[in-house]
Amino acid sequence: MSTPSSLESLIEALRCLPGVGPKSAQRIAYHLMQHDRAGAQRLADALGQALLALRHCRRCNTFTESEICERCLSTRRDAGLLCVVETPVDMNMLEQTHAYSGLYYVLMGRVSPLDGVGPAELHLQRLLARAADGIVREVIIATNFTNEGEATAHALSEMLRNRGLSVSRIARGVPVGGELEFVDSGTLAQALRERRQLAG
Amino acid sequence: MSTPSSLESLIEALRCLPGVGPKSAQRIAYHLMQHDRAGAQRLADALGQALLALRHCRRCNTFTESEICERCLSTRRDAGLLCVVETPVDMNMLEQTHAYSGLYYVLMGRVSPLDGVGPAELHLQRLLARAADGIVREVIIATNFTNEGEATAHALSEMLRNRGLSVSRIARGVPVGGELEFVDSGTLAQALRERRQLAG
């Protein structure tokens, strides 16, 4: 009886936000309707606008408002290097290092059997086609060092090497500034195993 | 350069959600645009609809789509009892007890000096006018037993008693099913101080 239907619909609709359950949805709805109607209006508009404008870059698969994103169109990037990341956030993190001037491919996910995401669901064929353009000479896999990221990297490197492409993986080890005392033993073991010969 | 403007606007607009900072806003935006466009569309529509339809009941101040909400219009409730709560959620909790058949007044907040919310910002005058309708014989204060809820209860009871109204506060003590071993000492101290004489 008590909750107006438009409020109930809003609470229900808020459940599409990741990590928002029935209780938080209710709290958020009350907050917006009581304290931030201007914000709610902006959010409604921004959602509508993004749904209309955003699509995936035909080359790198990231979000863009054009057919092909600015970065892929840039002539100042090294088109011979293709870095594969899970998400646009990861791409931004790599850009912020200013240590990479090649192009990207954004998977928009990772292999995750538990969530029913296999190589097919990730459309890895699109990446293979992209990497086999004859210009790319090295594919750098920069998926996360989580179980799922590693599984993705493994599947990818198999597929890419079968096509005769040169494949690398970003390095894993003790973080810069890291103290051995505070690094987990898995990382330390990897850092030992993947140690580099120092020039004498 | 890299984030399309409609995506940036969406990330910015998502910050209106309580507890959502820049990182989560980005994560939510990517999630919606990549994995749940239907949900995003529903959310945009629900926000717009709620903004259009929802207002405050002129009598009890809760959310409603009418001038006066169904509960305030009901003839089966005891109009002599007025229960003051902080939020519509609290009202729902009390309704679920089936132990109360009076009417409500929803403050839509609490006195909170740190957030700049005093009695004026809560529009307590509206509650005073509501309670002084000549029909209400007892005002039951059911704000939370937090510092802010207690401050609100204190301010309210002063104002209401000055108007010659009978004011009560819901009981505080050990929860039903609660074991003394696991109750915090503040609650236990209150339960001792506010002990009730048992009929001999």
Side-chain angles (χ1 to χ4, degrees), chain A residues 2 6 34 37 54 56 65, chain B residues 6 34 54 56 65 71:
Chain A
S2 66
S6 60
Q34 180 65 25
R37 287 189 166 230
L54 281 189
H56 294 286
E65 293 175 358
Chain B
S6 61
Q34 181 64 23
L54 281 190
H56 294 288
E65 293 175 358
R71 188 175 290 117

Side-chain angles (χ1 to χ4, degrees), chain B residues 61-181:
Chain B
N61 200 35
T62 194
F63 291 117
T64 175
E65 293 175 358
S66 335
E67 184 84 8
I68 296 181
C69 77
E70 282 181 66
R71 188 175 290 117
C72 284
L73 288 174
S74 166
T75 53
R76 282 180 302 176
R77 319 271 318 191
D78 180 352
L81 291 175
L82 188 69
C83 180
V84 181
V85 293
E86 296 182 20
T87 68
V89 180
D90 299 337
M91 180 169 71
N92 291 344
M93 296 303 291
L94 286 168
E95 280 296 283
Q96 280 164 29
T97 64
H98 299 289
Y100 180 70
S101 65
L103 295 173
Y104 292 91
Y105 187 89
V106 184
L107 294 171
M108 292 288 182
R110 59 207 67 78
V111 169
S112 172
L114 289 179
D115 303 318
V117 179
E121 284 71 24
L122 270 183
H123 306 293
L124 295 188
Q125 292 304 325
R126 276 194 60 198
L127 164 57
L128 289 187
R130 167 71 187 87
D133 67 350
I135 301 167
V136 172
R137 41 172 210 283
E138 178 182 350
V139 178
I140 303 167
I141 301 180
T143 54
N144 288 325
F145 285 98
T146 56
N147 286 340
E148 295 172 343
E150 291 283 36
T152 310
H154 185 74
L156 269 178
S157 71
E158 294 264 295
M159 291 168 94
L160 290 161
R161 272 194 312 235
N162 284 347
R163 298 286 184 104
L165 286 155
S166 160
V167 183
S168 62
R169 179 89 168 104
I170 57 170
R172 169 170 55 181
V174 180
V176 173
E179 299 179 63
L180 266 58
E181 184 179 346

Side-chain angles (χ1 to χ4, degrees), chain B residues 3-41:
Chain B
T3 312
S5 70
S6 61
L7 188 57
E8 244 171 26
S9 307
L10 176 57
I11 293 170
E12 185 53 42
L14 282 163
R15 304 277 308 271
C16 75
L17 303 174
V20 170
K23 280 267 180 190
S24 332
Q26 201 178 41
R27 223 188 53 238
I28 295 171
Y30 288 139
H31 170 82
L32 290 178
M33 290 303 120
Q34 181 64 23
H35 299 294
D36 197 4
R37 289 192 164 226
Q41 186 63 63

Side-chain angles (χ1 to χ4, degrees), chain A residues 48-137:
Chain A
Q49 190 49 40
L51 284 166
L52 278 180
L54 281 189
R55 54 168 122 174
H56 294 286
C57 172
R58 218 153 44 87
R59 301 200 77 204
C60 77
N61 200 35
T62 195
F63 291 118
T64 174
E65 293 175 358
S66 335
E67 185 84 7
I68 297 180
C69 77
E70 282 180 68
R71 189 175 289 116
C72 284
L73 288 174
S74 166
T75 54
R76 284 180 300 175
R77 319 267 323 187
D78 180 353
L81 291 175
L82 188 70
C83 180
V84 181
V85 293
E86 296 182 18
T87 68
V89 180
D90 298 337
M91 182 170 68
N92 291 344
M93 296 302 291
L94 286 167
E95 280 296 284
Q96 279 164 30
T97 65
H98 298 291
Y100 181 69
S101 64
L103 296 173
Y104 292 92
Y105 187 89
V106 183
L107 294 170
M108 291 288 182
R110 59 208 65 80
V111 169
S112 173
L114 289 178
D115 303 317
V117 179
E121 284 71 23
L122 269 184
H123 307 293
L124 294 189
Q125 293 303 324
R126 276 195 59 198
L127 164 56
L128 288 188
R130 168 70 186 87
D133 66 351
I135 301 167
V136 171
R137 42 172 210 281

Side-chain angles (χ1 to χ4, degrees), chain A residues 24 31 35 88 91 101 128-129 153-154 164 182 195-196:
Chain A
S24 332
H31 170 81
H35 298 293
M91 182 170 68
S101 64
L128 288 188
H154 184 74
F182 301 112
R195 64 192 179 277
R196 295 174 54 192

